[in-house]
């Protein structure tokens, strides 16, 4: 009870004390360990389902690792891109020869700035048109965050964009475009990543 009081006091800055601790303890006595056969059966089935899904996920990931080992894609040589993210990007892009430039991949991922037109006014906005592959966009943005953490070149580029006053997400989007252009060049050359001197 003393420990519970202390935790409540620290977590809620003294708003809750012994009275709330007693209330929580009483609620716990009436809820934890109650005998409910239907709920017990439901819980057993849920646990069994979770174990089955975990086994399936493990099997799929083993197969993915095997496939990635066979295709020898240079994409995972980029610091910060895991096999999982690499596979996601490769699967969503598909055949890189279908894209004649990295900008086409950026457009497919809806990572090109949209254009607003009204009468004589034409202006470019920083928001993206969300009409392409959201899975590719997700994979690229998440991969970029990790690459910016692990690779000094990308970390410096992100810091430069932040120093220009850009919001973190905008700066990441610039780094993501740089990453896509790098991936496109690497897939064309089939050469592993070499950090710029």
């Amino acid at each position: 009870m003393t420990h519970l009081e202390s935790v409540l006091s620290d977590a809620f800055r003294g708003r809750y004390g012994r009275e709330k601790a007693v209330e929580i303890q009483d609620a716990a006595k009436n809820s934890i360990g109650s005998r409910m056969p239907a709920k017990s059966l439901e819980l057993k089935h849920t646990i069994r389902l979770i174990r089955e899904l975990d086994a399936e996920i493990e099997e799929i990931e083993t197969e993915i690792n095997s496939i990635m080992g066979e295709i020898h894609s240079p994409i995972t040589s980029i610091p910060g891109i895991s096999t999982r993210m690499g596979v996601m990007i490769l699967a969503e892009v598909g055949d890189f020869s279908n894209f004649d430039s990295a900008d086409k991949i950026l457009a497919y991922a809806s990572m090109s700035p949209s254009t607003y037109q009204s009468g004589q006014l034409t202006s470019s906005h920083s928001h993206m048109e969300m009409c392409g592959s959201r899975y590719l966009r997700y994979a690229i943005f998440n991969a970029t965050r990790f690459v910016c953490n692990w690779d000094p070149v990308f970390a410096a580029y992100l810091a430069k964009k932040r120093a220009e006053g850009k919001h973190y997400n905008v700066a990441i989007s610039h780094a993501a475009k740089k990453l896509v252009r790098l991936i496109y060049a690497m897939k064309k050359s089939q050469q592993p990543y070499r950090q710029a001197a």
Side-chain angles (χ1 to χ4, degrees):
M1 180 58 71
T2 305
H3 178 66
L4 182 56
E5 279 183 64
S6 175
V7 169
L8 284 170
S9 180
D10 291 344
F12 295 97
R13 298 179 182 172
R15 277 192 300 163
Y16 299 117
R18 185 169 184 80
E19 187 179 327
K20 182 56 97 174
V22 170
E23 187 183 328
I24 291 171
Q25 191 179 54
D26 289 341
K29 284 177 183 175
N30 295 324
S31 61
I32 297 173
S34 58
R35 295 182 60 82
M36 297 177 68
K39 288 292 181 186
S40 178
L41 183 63
E42 184 181 349
L43 183 60
K44 284 178 185 175
H45 281 286
T46 302
I47 291 169
R48 191 179 304 130
L49 179 60
I50 290 168
R51 285 176 177 158
E52 286 173 6
L53 290 172
D54 281 344
E56 287 180 18
I57 289 168
E58 190 177 338
E59 183 183 348
I60 290 166
E61 288 187 339
T62 301
E63 189 63 27
I64 285 170
N65 289 331
S66 174
I67 292 168
M68 284 296 280
E70 289 172 14
I71 64 175
H72 303 292
S73 174
I75 191 172
T76 52
S77 67
I78 302 170
I81 295 190
S82 65
T83 300
R84 186 179 293 182
M85 276 300 162
V87 163
M88 205 167 175
I89 292 168
L90 293 175
E92 282 301 307
V93 173
D95 188 350
F96 275 72
S97 65
N98 290 332
F99 301 90
D100 55 20
S101 71
D103 289 340
K104 295 289 176 67
I105 294 174
L106 287 168
Y108 176 59
S110 293
M111 293 173 68
S112 299
S114 62
T115 301
Y116 172 76
Q117 290 183 317
S118 175
Q120 300 297 318
L121 176 67
T122 301
S123 65
S124 186
H125 294 272
S126 61
H127 70 275
M128 303 295 171
E129 290 181 344
M130 302 301 180
C131 58
S133 169
R134 69 176 187 265
Y135 302 111
L136 179 57
R137 188 165 57 251
Y138 167 84
I140 289 170
F141 267 98
N142 279 282
T144 304
R145 288 189 182 98
F146 286 110
V147 171
C148 287
N149 284 337
W150 287 94
D151 183 75
V153 174
F154 276 86
Y157 185 76
L158 180 66
K160 176 177 173 262
K161 292 297 175 184
R162 293 286 283 142
E164 291 171 4
K166 298 189 188 307
H167 185 276
Y168 176 78
N169 287 339
V170 175
I172 282 288
S173 73
H174 282 279
K177 290 171 187 176
K178 181 180 174 73
L179 180 61
V180 169
R181 291 184 178 108
L182 171 65
I183 290 170
Y184 185 79
M186 287 172 64
K187 282 296 290 179
K188 288 290 184 184
S189 67
Q190 284 299 311
Q191 294 299 310
Y193 177 64
R194 290 186 181 88
Q195 193 181 108

